[in-house]
Amino acid sequence: DIDYVFSFDFEDAYEIVSRISPDVYFQGGEYKNKLPREESICEVLYLVMDEKSTTALAEKIINVNRKKT
């Protein structure tokens, strides 16, 4: 199950990840080997999606959900 989905506009998600202490944290493939602090808290899985950004995917999901309401 997914417990949290969030976006952020700061350098990294360390503060949020440290507070919620997830079992797994997903991040875009472009961040691989760039999140040692998050990796010290939980397992970090990197999504590689045919050169598409995770931000674009999140925006698409948000737009689909907006159309449903």
Side-chain angles (χ1 to χ4, degrees):
D1 293 341
I2 297 172
D3 296 318
Y4 300 96
V5 174
F6 58 90
S7 63
F8 52 92
D9 62 353
F10 36 89
E11 188 173 327
D12 62 33
Y14 176 76
E15 290 299 322
I16 295 170
V17 172
S18 67
R19 288 182 187 177
I20 63 175
S21 191
D23 294 324
V24 179
Y25 171 60
F26 290 90
Q27 185 57 273
E30 67 272 21
Y31 292 95
K32 190 166 184 132
N33 299 320
K34 295 181 181 177
L35 303 172
R37 297 189 315 157
E38 289 86 342
E39 290 176 352
S40 72
I41 296 170
C42 64
E43 180 179 7
V44 178
L45 296 179
Y46 298 94
L47 303 175
V48 178
M49 306 176 335
D50 300 328
E51 304 300 322
K52 297 177 183 174
S53 75
T54 53
T55 300
L57 176 62
E59 288 173 356
K60 183 175 181 179
I61 292 167
I62 290 167
N63 288 333
V64 167
N65 286 326
R66 283 185 182 149
K67 290 177 184 177
K68 290 181 180 180
T69 58

